[in-house]
Amino acid sequence: MFSFLSGAMATASQRYFAFEMGRGDEEALKKTFSLTVIVYAILAIIIVLLAETVGLWFINYKLVIPQERIHAARWIYQFSVMTCAVSVMTTPYLSLILSREKMEIYAWMSILEAVMKLLIVYLLNIISYDKLFVYGILLLAVTILNTTVYKIYCRRNFAESRFSFYWNSRTLKEMISFTGWFFFSMFSGTIQAQAVSVLCNIFFGPAVNAAQGIAVKIRSVSDTFANNFSTASRPQIIKNYASYNYRKMFELLYRTCKTTYYLTLIIVVSVIADIDTILRIWLVNVPLHTVNFARLLMIESLVSSVAFAMSSANQATGKVKWYCLTLGSTAIISIPFLYLFLKMGYSPEIIYIVTVLTQVVLTIIRTLFLKNIPGFSFKEVINKVYVPILKVTVPAAVIAWFLKFASETTVFLFLGITVRFIMIIAIIYFIGFSRSERIFILQIFKSIFRRRKNEQNYRAS
């Protein structure tokens, strides 16, 4: 729960770091970083104080825990509190790395973290000591290692990461205001997601919750590529805004919107038609409604991917009060509609039909708020973003359904996915991108190939 607040603050700190970098004010960047570290330290202290008072009381007197396991429960709770506090203090350094666009270290650390967590799962099978205790302490160790590596990397590479005490009430107020409104937007989305789970449980029971959980896991795969690409583009969008280079910012924004959508589309088109076969191979016994839920959630992911980069542009302005209030309110307002439809006797699929429509509205809202940035043109965003993705989506939808290999065998499943994968990439390249963008893409691949060839020649010599 506290990590959720930390996530909102991470977005705020990354915005302020990138903004100062865009202005080229190194002194202001140093002060902003130091102030951010102080704010996060205060947050970590508040988390620990609340956890060791109210939280500990709740553990000891309200949770129903077998008496023989209460000792282990207290230990895992303490490890969780320490892990959360350490994670909070990692955020300023991680935000600085992302703002500096050092994606290589971020990627390697993400891979390392995943490998270490996988190793923890393996160790739990061979260690005879209390597994809950071991799990807690090993997760804490991984978090401490991550924080240490990020801090050392920043101190060696970024002069602004050297902490010195600095306090500015005005900047602090701005950051808290930005974080507060952004937190409301994120929290509203979480409330909507949890409301979906609760309503599924109330009207249809836990079996539908199981189907929902599986579908959400599948949706997270299609979100991964879009989120990572959007994260990589965020610093440049904010820096261009800060340096008043609005033309360049919009060109990057439109290109990012399209590419993010196309990356998600490649995943969705490749698997959406055969998701029923994939689920049967994976689960054998597939819960009722899982296939429809998965397809609707992938469509929702596709719709939301268009506006990921638009969120970065809107946040760059710093004027997020009405933006976040509108997004959050829209997400919350959808909940009564969900309840009404279910009360009228609609099937569970209506839940995700409503969420897809809600995402459409949220995407429109994110587009409309771009008018706060000088030089924005509705005609331009339609011609450079929405028209190209529509031209790609229509033939992609045809491919998804007419090239469905109705077979239970893995070979035909793999064949169908591969054919769709290749065809959608070809459609995106020739229809989705302009001539200048195709030349740009080819130049990127040529530079990558040339660099690898030079590296091979260097090693050979």
Side-chain angles (χ1 to χ4, degrees), residues 74-191:
R74 287 170 179 164
W75 272 113
I76 192 70
Y77 177 73
Q78 293 297 333
F79 290 139
S80 297
V81 171
M82 287 186 282
T83 300
C84 183
V86 173
S87 296
V88 167
M89 294 310 300
T90 309
T91 308
Y93 298 97
L94 179 57
S95 297
L96 188 58
I97 288 171
L98 293 175
S99 298
R100 285 290 187 185
E101 301 178 68
K102 301 297 182 182
M103 298 303 173
E104 186 175 347
I105 181 66
Y106 173 67
W108 280 112
M109 286 304 299
S110 298
I111 294 170
L112 178 62
E113 182 179 3
V115 170
M116 287 191 293
K117 288 182 177 180
L118 187 62
L119 182 61
I120 289 174
V121 176
Y122 173 74
L123 289 175
L124 291 177
N125 286 322
I126 61 176
I127 293 176
S128 58
Y129 194 71
D130 191 306
K131 297 184 187 300
L132 196 60
F133 181 91
V134 173
Y135 178 70
I137 198 169
L138 288 178
L139 278 184
L140 174 61
V142 169
T143 305
I144 292 173
L145 177 62
N146 273 352
T147 302
T148 304
V149 172
Y150 281 133
K151 186 173 182 179
I152 291 173
Y153 180 86
C154 287
R155 288 180 67 84
R156 288 184 175 180
N157 293 276
F158 312 134
E160 65 272 13
S161 66
R162 298 185 181 278
F163 175 79
S164 59
F165 186 82
Y166 172 75
W167 190 265
N168 186 309
S169 300
R170 181 182 176 184
T171 304
L172 178 62
K173 185 179 179 181
E174 288 179 5
M175 291 179 69
I176 292 176
S177 176
F178 183 97
T179 304
W181 288 113
F182 191 69
F183 176 81
F184 170 75
S185 177
M186 291 177 64
F187 190 60
S188 300
T190 302
I191 289 175

Side-chain angles (χ1 to χ4, degrees), residues 269-271 273-274 277-278 281 399-400 402-424:
V269 169
S270 297
V271 302
D274 284 321
T277 305
I278 294 171
I281 294 173
I399 288 173
F402 284 91
L403 289 181
K404 174 178 169 60
F405 286 70
S407 174
E408 299 292 329
T409 66
T410 307
V411 174
F412 276 95
L413 174 65
F414 179 76
L415 179 62
I417 291 174
T418 303
V419 170
R420 287 194 297 271
F421 182 83
I422 294 171
M423 292 191 71
I424 188 58

Side-chain angles (χ1 to χ4, degrees), residues 309-327:
M310 292 181 187
S311 296
S312 300
N314 282 309
Q315 291 161 22
T317 66
K319 301 173 183 177
V320 295
K321 176 181 177 180
W322 290 108
Y323 172 70
C324 291
L325 190 62
T326 306
L327 290 179

